[in-house]
Amino acid sequence: MAPPACLYRFRPLEDALLDRELTALRESFLYSPPFGAMNDPMEAFYETGGPGDRIVEAMLGPAAGGLQHLYGLLSETIDRFALVSFAGTFENLPMWAYYASNFAGMCLEFDTDQLTIGDFQNETLRPVTYAHKALSPLSVADMAPDRLEEAIIARITRKRAEWSHEKEWRYVTGEVGRKHYLDDALRRVFIGPRAREDYVTTVCDVLDRRPVEVLQGEIKGFELTFRTIKPARPIGECERIGAGIFDDEEIYGPEALSAFFGSSYEAFLEACRRTAARPNMEKFAGIDLSTDRDAAAYVWTVYRLRNGRDVYDKRYFDRRLRLLPRRA
């Protein structure tokens, strides 16, 4: 299943958690907690010791204690996995009640494609599956190198069917901690109709020089609607994180690229300029015709995150300047 174009993260706005949430907005990160910290104690449930393992134990006899050691190592591995959960819409009213301070919190809208460029690179994004029963216990066979990760992820992304209305997606991350994203990966922030006025003002102040639209909720009868209270800043007015370097030296073969794009070449250069204007854009690592994909040019971009780390993103375009799918 392909992920939705946007992912949504419901967050609280209340005294005890306000500094935490504002820091995450200010520094452009999402926190990835261990899966054991999830709100539903039955989710991410797993057991060890499948039926086939009993045969192995019988064959090994006294040496079967080694299986328990393996199970212990497996549990330690699983305990190191962490999750960041998202919804597929901002209009799910129960989610506003559960996770956004009973309509006094906020919901963050992310561009799914842009979210993959930061610290979520090479992490696994999966839809949650909903069922009435847990998967079978993890067995020795599941510990094979080509099966273990998938076996763990299948269990970490499983919840009881009663939660299916959430339509949840999860990033399964390799470790607990902050996951920084590009400033413009965050597109909109929806604030609940019950949010305190001073909290609303503070959120707008934090995002003032960001390309992020802030909207406030209103209750009209049986409807929850939103109106813009802070438009997204134009890119040229946003706070810069990267240097935004673009000059002719980044284009390795301008004549070949001009011939490749033809009448679209100037539009291609303009697209590069727009990329350079993005808040986190540091520089181009290369712009050239591709040698590993037929009839394609590439743009290799370096972005600087707010934690100071540089991340790389390589995009391919065809002759008509259409973005080609990412390589798996």
Side-chain angles (χ1 to χ4, degrees), residues 247-262 265-266 268-269 287-289:
D247 57 47
D248 293 344
E249 293 183 4
E250 274 76 45
I251 302 177
Y252 294 146
E255 297 83 5
L257 277 172
S258 178
F260 176 78
F261 285 113
Y265 184 59
E266 287 302 320
F268 173 72
L269 293 179
I287 303 171
D288 201 356
L289 293 178

Side-chain angles (χ1 to χ4, degrees), residues 154-190:
R155 286 156 178 82
I156 288 179
T157 57
R158 191 177 182 90
K159 295 180 73 168
R160 283 190 59 91
E162 289 84 351
W163 296 92
S164 62
H165 64 279
E166 292 187 346
K167 298 180 173 59
E168 185 179 343
W169 286 77
R170 286 180 173 175
Y171 259 112
V172 180
T173 67
E175 59 183 16
V176 172
R178 296 180 176 188
K179 302 297 176 182
H180 287 80
Y181 53 82
L182 303 184
D183 280 13
D184 55 356
L186 178 62
R187 294 299 178 85
R188 297 191 290 180
V189 174
F190 300 88

Side-chain angles (χ1 to χ4, degrees), residues 306-323:
R306 284 185 175 263
N307 62 352
R309 191 171 81 88
D310 287 346
V311 292
Y312 293 77
D313 183 52
K314 198 170 189 178
R315 300 292 178 110
Y316 294 85
F317 299 86
D318 67 11
R319 296 178 187 275
R320 296 172 62 184
L321 205 54
R322 293 177 298 192
L323 185 64

